[in-house]
Amino acid sequence: MNRAQQPWQAYTGPNLAYIQEQYERYAADPASVEPSFRELFERWGAPPSREAEAELPAVEAAPLPEYDMSMLEKVAAAGRLVWNIRSYGHLAADIDPLDLSPAADTRLLEPATYGLTDADLEAMPAKLVWEHAPAEVANAKEAIERLRRAYTGTTAYEFAHVHEAEERDWLNRRVESGLAESEPLTAQERKTLLRRLVETAQFESFLHRTFVGQKRFSIEGIDTLVPMLDETIRWVARDGGSYLLIGMAHRGRLNVLAHVLGKPYRTIFSEFHHAPNKDLVPSEGSTGLNYGWTGDVKYHLGADRSVEEEEGRTIRVVLANNPSHLEFVNPVVEGYTRAAQEDRTRPGYPVQDYGKAAAVLIHGDAAFAGEGVVAETLNFNRLRGYSNGGTIHVIANNRLGFTTDSQDGRSTHYASDLAKGFEIPVVHVNADDPEACIRAMRLACEFRARFRKDFLIDLIGYRRYGHNESDDPETTQPIMYGKLRSHPPVAELYARRLIGEGLIGEPDVEKLKREAQGKLQAAYEEMRRGGQQEPEGAKGLASALGTARAEPDTAVPLDRLRAMNEALLKRPEGFHMLPKLQRILERRAGALDDGGKVDWALAETLAFASILADGKPIRISGQDTQRGTFAHRHLVLHDAATGESYCPLHTLPQAKASFAIYNSPLSETAVLGFEYGYNVFAPETLVIWEAQYGDFANVAQVIVDQFLAAGRSKWRQKSSLTMLLPHGYEGQGPEHSSARLERYLQLSAENNWTVVNLTRAAQYFHLLRLQAALTETEEARPLIVMAPKSLIRHARVASAPAEFAEGRFMPIIEPSVPNAKPEQVERVVLCSGKVAVDLEETIEAEGAEQFDWLHVIRVERLYPFPEAEIADVLRRLPHVRELVWLQEEPRNMGAWSFAAPRLRRLAPEGVKVLYAGRPEHASTASGYQNVHTREQRRLLEQATTRDGLDDDGIV
């Protein structure tokens, strides 16, 4: 092409330099320059360099009006306008059903702001400002009008924060293709949608009339959530999915249970009859029934259902149980979904299929912005150990947090703004436009299927009544509720729309209402004739909680252990080990030989290997878990030359199941919730979460309290999750000493879990194998381990090989005492964990023969408390005068308050129960090493000195 015919000769000096700069940006990323420049570069190629310009022969430039400077400036301005329509069109969108929001400043969307007139825009080809303009769009004016309609209707879009150009361009093209025009709902889909909205509305109306004043947290105002979930089920099934996992809080939950999960009306009505008297018990209490299964209020309960979709596809839909701690179900459902996607039947990491399962999380607008667990969960989006191929988030936005307005509940313009930091596409949609809501969900599902990433829909509606139906909201939101008195429900609005379009008539709508009301009334009458149903699962659980079977054999023959240990020490050919680490691991080679010792880390590794050899999959995660906080585990090795990783358990010849080990993000709440959810959904898997320090687990207290401790009692939800909580007083201060043992013991009841504080490597080995063997059985329970720190490498903790081949887990241990004479024992010291090892060292240093009057019991299992085993010991010691509980934690912490009443029951008549340990403290431990050492020495002296304790310790 003759350069004289190109537009570049119109530019010289700084103008040409500017064009050259824009071309360099275009060459690196076409999406980084405005559409007008992309059009020029695509058509004319690169502008000349200054050197090339100097070499060109002088050519008299013919005037080219379409490329004069004024026109190019207008084209550039039009390009900025289009960019701002895409970026800020949401400010002018009709997404407020009650028209409560103040008018936004939308000058960025007006051509006049950029000095553009209608004539200017009519003179430009549409393609100059809109690269994907359809052929029928004649010019830039029509293009901009079309784009404004696309971005400012009852659906608003925020995609500018999505950094991946392919994703952002795809999203914009989908919106700009005219979703409403190009993919309208069929006549049958619209009728089905109306039927669903009528059913949803009539259900709430029936409950409101029939159970006056009772809480239900109605869906009214965001009714379209139900058909949106229906649509999601269809899309996930069409994408080949077998599971849809849903997490949501109270708002609209009963309606979702009834219409999406298929929970019978009769059962829901019966649960209203079981509800506590609101006048006597105004709080969100339980059913009050005591069957060993406490149950939960109806709007916390979950459900699951198999749904047969088109072409015979069946998908299992699960709504997770959830406490009042609104957003804390989010990571639990993420764990469900990951577990549903993974094949754990082969060695190595599990094989994940993103299409097999999908998650939908329904958030509250106040909670989404206000609760930190939301951000922790969003961070899972692209993490190797936690991603699930994209979660669909829906904010059920009623614009209030109980009585708190949004301006007092968040610092952002939208409730959804947090998601932008994770580059999640956001769509805001008016809940009063059901068809727009369905299209938004289709876009979300399509995006997830294509890019395997999260998507968020901000469903903006209202709540018809107060936070709960016994609350009067007008005192705090008089304007909103003044408008709501005359605002029709969405079912009525949509019915009017379809009647106006001639698709249906008034009699059709009345028939739909009568049919819905008839089903509800029939179910209610059936419930009344049949009496109030007992809550599902109430019978039988009490006996199940108390049943027990023969304890599995956890011993492993030495020849098998040696073979596995040998295999674990092999490395791939050419793998470069760090010499220092090589020496550390090589010490394990002879640990199982005669005279050898197995330390804590090797005991754990051998337990994992033998569990995998038994065909049980394992998943372990936590901060720095691959190496271990205390540099002891080293289950993922790194090539010193290439940095590539290798896990010996992945190539173990004996392994018959997967082994997943991940370093987690710096989170406790969300990660623990995720692992709990994973374990509940995949009960055959030994799932372990390790805290970096046990102290940090208090950040995850909601997950511990509401799910691990009480999930079985409230929801019949079994878990065998294991928590490793490093615990022990070594002078490292108040945040690196205590895993808050007392909190777990305070929550212990009804055989809900096992709490241990171990002092032998073999004990840990047998306990892990026992925990794995009990998965998928009625005896499956969470396991809380006060894990060691310095004891990991302590010689007294290491165990002889025979203890692995012949032993079992022992709830108590009695350290051997030379020449013990039971009839001389006057004091029994009971202790647990590190202080027990310190006590053994003290006695040995001072001469064990001096302590024939003292007997030590290490309580390895604190809950269930080993009363029978301790009683057997006391029967052998006829002259005991004192039972002393020794602990290193302050008196108001640790196990003392838990153990004391149990020891009092066990103590023979006249035997005192005393305390040896630190006095009460507000903080868990001293921050000064010299103070710690002095306190530790004193409590050991108290335990080992005759008459070293006074009656102040008597319970």
Side-chain angles (χ1 to χ4, degrees):
M1 179 185 295
N2 189 330
R3 297 188 66 87
Q5 297 174 339
Q6 297 185 13
W8 310 127
Q9 58 189 333
Y11 300 95
T12 59
N15 291 330
L16 179 60
Y18 178 73
I19 292 293
Q20 290 164 342
E21 178 188 345
Q22 292 299 307
Y23 183 78
E24 289 172 4
R25 291 176 57 192
Y26 167 82
D29 179 9
S32 66
V33 301
E34 293 181 354
S36 56
F37 285 117
R38 284 205 299 272
E39 173 73 17
L40 287 173
F41 298 142
E42 288 171 0
R43 182 173 181 182
W44 300 106
S49 65
R50 290 178 180 175
E51 294 78 7
E53 180 187 19
E55 295 171 3
L56 287 174
V59 178
E60 185 177 350
L64 296 171
E66 65 269 34
Y67 293 111
D68 66 20
M69 197 63 188
S70 173
M71 176 56 71
L72 281 173
E73 287 174 350
K74 290 182 183 295
V75 169
R80 289 196 299 274
L81 171 59
V82 168
W83 174 263
N84 285 330
I85 289 173
R86 288 169 173 159
S87 299
Y88 303 110
H90 57 88
L91 295 174
D94 177 18
I95 54 176
D96 182 0
L98 299 181
D99 196 24
L100 291 169
S101 301
D105 183 353
T106 58
R107 285 175 293 177
L108 283 173
L109 312 179
E110 302 296 335
T113 302
Y114 306 88
L116 295 169
T117 65
D118 285 353
D120 293 333
L121 295 173
E122 287 170 349
M124 298 179 199
K127 289 279 187 180
L128 272 184
V129 297
W130 182 13
E131 59 271 39
H132 306 302
E136 69 271 14
V137 178
N139 53 49
K141 180 175 182 292
E142 290 184 18
I144 286 170
E145 288 173 351
R146 178 83 71 94
L147 290 172
R148 275 199 64 134
R149 284 199 303 273
Y151 285 98
T152 64
T154 53
T155 308
Y157 306 93
E158 290 191 274
F159 303 146
H161 58 279
V162 177
H163 292 169
E164 291 288 341
E166 181 188 358
E167 295 172 22
R168 189 176 62 249
D169 289 347
W170 181 88
L171 288 162
N172 286 331
R173 290 186 70 170
R174 291 291 289 115
V175 173
E176 293 163 16
S177 66
L179 289 175
E181 293 82 5
S182 63
E183 299 177 21
L185 273 65
T186 66
Q188 186 55 50
E189 285 175 331
R190 301 176 82 194
K191 291 178 182 178
T192 300
L193 176 55
L194 177 61
R195 176 183 293 276
R196 201 53 149 169
L197 291 172
V198 169
E199 290 172 344
T200 300
Q202 292 303 313
F203 175 77
E204 298 291 355
S205 178
F206 186 86
L207 294 181
H208 195 65
R209 294 192 312 269
T210 309
F211 305 104
V212 178
Q214 288 207 40
K215 299 177 188 176
R216 68 178 193 276
F217 300 97
S218 82
I219 204 170
E220 292 159 284
I222 49 169
D223 311 52
T224 45
L225 179 62
V226 168
M228 288 170 75
L229 290 175
D230 291 338
E231 188 68 25
T232 311
I233 294 169
R234 284 192 287 272
W235 267 87
V236 173
R238 195 177 305 141
D239 192 35
S242 301
Y243 299 92
L244 180 67
L245 296 316
I246 304 172
M248 68 182 298
H250 313 339
R251 181 70 53 204
R253 191 179 184 95
L254 293 182
N255 220 305
V256 169
L257 281 167
H259 295 121
V260 179
L261 277 296
K263 186 170 184 176
Y265 291 151
R266 177 175 184 255
T267 302
I268 295 174
F269 298 157
S270 179
E271 289 170 350
F272 272 94
H273 278 286
H274 280 298
N277 185 315
K278 71 180 181 69
D279 297 321
L280 298 177
V281 189
S283 63
E284 296 173 13
S286 179
T287 60
L289 300 174
N290 186 11
Y291 292 96
W293 180 68
T294 63
D296 205 345
V297 288
K298 50 197 168 291
Y299 37 80
H300 289 174
L301 299 175
D304 66 74
R305 173 195 183 196
S306 289
V307 179
E308 187 168 326
E309 279 299 321
E310 303 163 4
E311 301 176 16
R313 299 187 186 94
T314 299
I315 182 170
R316 182 182 169 196
V317 182
V318 178
L319 175 65
N321 301 295
N322 192 30
S324 282
H325 299 70
L326 306 169
E327 301 289 335
F328 283 81
V329 76
N330 296 352
V332 175
V333 172
E334 297 285 318
Y336 282 3
T337 310
R338 180 67 177 247
Q341 292 173 344
E342 291 191 334
D343 178 359
R344 294 169 288 276
T345 60
R346 290 174 286 177
Y349 278 108
V351 178
Q352 187 174 9
D353 178 359
Y354 284 149
K356 192 175 180 182
V360 174
L361 295 179
I362 302 164
H363 310 271
D365 52 309
F368 190 84
E371 296 195 4
V373 68
V374 176
E376 291 186 27
T377 305
L378 293 178
N379 190 44
F380 288 155
N381 189 11
R382 302 174 73 174
L383 299 184
R384 186 176 51 162
Y386 305 89
S387 64
N388 62 19
T391 295
I392 296 172
H393 301 270
V394 179
I395 296 178
N397 193 340
N398 59 40
R399 306 174 58 145
L400 286 171
F402 203 158
T403 67
T404 302
D405 289 310
S406 57
Q407 62 264 30
D408 295 318
R410 65 174 187 263
S411 297
T412 56
H413 185 76
Y414 292 117
S416 57
D417 283 345
L418 174 67
K420 293 181 186 177
F422 297 91
E423 299 185 43
I424 298 171
V426 177
V427 170
H428 310 275
V429 63
N430 190 321
D432 272 359
D433 186 346
E435 293 185 20
C437 294
I438 296 300
R439 288 192 293 270
M441 185 55 81
R442 288 178 177 176
L443 180 64
C445 293
E446 193 176 352
F447 180 85
R448 180 193 182 272
R450 184 181 182 92
F451 296 105
R452 298 305 187 195
K453 291 184 178 178
D454 286 16
F455 195 98
L456 188 146
I457 298 172
D458 183 15
L459 178 64
I460 302 176
Y462 53 85
R463 66 181 192 210
R464 176 67 63 180
Y465 302 100
H467 174 69
N468 61 69
E469 288 68 24
S470 62
D471 179 58
D472 179 6
E474 278 198 289
T475 58
T476 51
Q477 277 78 32
I479 304 300
M480 175 184 289
Y481 282 92
K483 289 193 171 191
L484 272 173
R485 278 197 294 271
S486 59
H487 189 79
V490 65
E492 183 178 330
L493 291 173
Y494 192 54
R496 289 179 193 172
R497 176 176 170 181
L498 298 191
I499 290 170
E501 294 178 14
L503 187 62
I504 59 170
E506 287 277 7
D508 299 312
V509 177
E510 292 305 314
K511 181 181 178 184
L512 290 176
K513 291 180 181 178
R514 287 195 305 272
E515 288 175 352
Q517 292 167 357
K519 291 177 183 177
L520 291 160
Q521 191 62 41
Y524 183 72
E525 295 300 329
E526 182 187 358
M527 182 274 295
R528 292 185 55 150
R529 287 193 304 271
Q532 296 177 16
Q533 285 184 301
E534 187 174 273
E536 182 185 354
K539 286 185 176 177
L541 187 64
S543 58
L545 287 168
T547 58
R549 62 177 186 175
E551 189 172 290
D553 182 9
T554 58
V556 179
L558 271 178
D559 58 343
R560 286 184 59 201
L561 290 174
R562 287 172 179 146
M564 286 186 281
N565 192 40
E566 183 181 349
L568 290 168
L569 291 171
K570 292 180 179 178
R571 304 289 176 259
E573 186 175 348
F575 190 86
H576 305 90
M577 281 285 291
L578 281 170
K580 179 171 65 174
L581 181 56
Q582 178 72 9
R583 289 193 298 271
I584 291 172
L585 296 179
E586 281 178 350
R587 294 174 196 155
R588 298 179 176 182
L592 292 165
D593 296 340
D594 292 340
K597 288 284 187 177
V598 177
D599 65 10
W600 185 274
L602 180 54
E604 179 186 74
T605 303
L606 292 174
F608 289 164
S610 62
I611 291 167
L612 295 174
D614 292 339
K616 285 279 184 184
I618 299 171
R619 176 185 167 94
I620 177 171
S621 79
Q623 294 154 21
D624 314 296
T625 287
Q626 292 181 342
R627 188 200 74 172
T629 298
F630 306 101
H632 66 287
R633 182 170 288 123
H634 296 296
L635 285 181
V636 175
L637 308 176
H638 299 272
D639 190 295
T642 67
E644 293 183 4
S645 61
Y646 165 69
C647 178
L649 285 168
H650 287 168
T651 57
L652 182 72
Q654 296 88 344
K656 299 174 185 173
S658 64
F659 179 75
I661 181 167
Y662 297 106
N663 288 338
S664 76
L666 194 64
S667 156
E668 289 81 26
T669 298
V671 172
L672 182 59
F674 184 100
E675 303 305 342
Y676 173 83
Y678 193 104
N679 177 236
V680 167
F681 202 91
E684 80 286 359
T685 307
L686 176 63
V687 180
I688 301 172
W689 176 71
E690 180 178 56
Q692 190 174 59
Y693 286 89
D695 312 59
F696 302 164
N698 59 13
V699 179
Q701 200 65 40
V702 170
I703 302 297
V704 174
D705 292 353
Q706 302 299 329
F707 293 91
L708 267 83
R712 186 183 183 101
S713 180
K714 292 190 295 185
W715 309 315
R716 298 181 298 124
Q717 190 162 282
K718 290 189 295 184
S719 168
S720 59
L721 179 67
T722 296
M723 293 176 64
L724 303 181
L725 309 177
H727 175 86
Y729 280 54
E730 287 137 340
Q732 295 192 34
E735 272 73 62
H736 294 85
S737 298
S738 176
R740 292 293 195 172
L741 171 61
E742 65 278 0
R743 294 182 179 172
Y744 299 94
L745 295 177
Q746 184 183 42
L747 291 166
S748 297
E750 297 181 295
N751 197 21
N752 61 330
W753 56 19
T754 302
V755 181
V756 300
N757 198 2
L758 309 178
T759 60
R760 300 283 292 169
Q763 286 278 86
Y764 184 43
F765 172 88
H766 289 294
L767 192 61
L768 286 176
R769 286 186 48 77
L770 177 61
Q771 185 72 353
L774 294 178
T775 61
E776 297 184 279
T777 73
E778 278 300 321
E779 284 71 42
R781 300 287 190 278
L783 172 63
I784 314 299
V785 180
M786 298 292 111
K789 296 184 294 180
S790 64
L791 295 189
I792 283 173
R793 295 178 176 84
H794 203 293
R796 293 178 185 272
V797 173
S799 301
E803 296 181 53
F804 299 86
E806 301 169 3
R808 62 178 179 82
F809 174 72
M810 295 178 289
I812 65 170
I813 294 177
E814 297 176 82
S816 59
V817 178
N819 305 316
K821 297 178 181 178
E823 65 277 4
Q824 295 184 2
V825 172
E826 298 176 5
R827 174 183 290 179
V828 173
V829 176
L830 300 102
C831 49
S832 188
K834 177 182 173 292
V835 75
V837 178
D838 293 344
L839 178 63
E840 182 179 310
E841 289 182 325
T842 298
I843 291 173
E844 188 172 302
E846 296 186 15
E849 66 280 356
Q850 299 182 33
F851 297 97
D852 57 358
W853 56 276
L854 184 148
H855 188 80
V856 177
I857 299 175
R858 292 188 187 179
V859 181
E860 300 277 293
R861 189 188 71 204
L862 288 157
Y863 186 81
F865 196 69
E867 295 190 26
E869 290 85 352
I870 294 172
D872 287 342
V873 175
L874 295 180
R875 278 191 285 269
R876 304 198 317 263
L877 307 172
H879 301 299
V880 169
R881 294 188 298 110
E882 297 173 341
L883 297 184
V884 176
W885 182 265
L886 170 66
Q887 67 177 38
E888 53 189 350
E889 304 87 355
R891 181 171 181 152
N892 56 319
M893 303 175 197
W896 164 244
S897 297
F898 175 81
R902 289 161 175 80
L903 293 178
R904 184 176 59 182
R905 286 198 300 267
L906 288 170
E909 187 175 352
V911 173
K912 297 177 180 180
V913 177
L914 305 174
Y915 168 80
R918 287 176 168 82
E920 292 183 352
H921 286 309
S923 179
T924 53
S926 171
Y928 302 101
Q929 182 67 46
N930 61 332
V931 175
H932 161 79
T933 303
R934 187 168 63 248
E935 288 180 340
Q936 200 77 358
R937 185 168 56 247
R938 185 170 62 245
L939 64 88
L940 291 169
E941 288 173 356
Q942 290 173 348
T944 57
T945 303
R946 270 183 163 152
D947 302 322
L949 296 167
D950 57 32
D951 287 353
D952 183 54
I954 294 177
V955 178

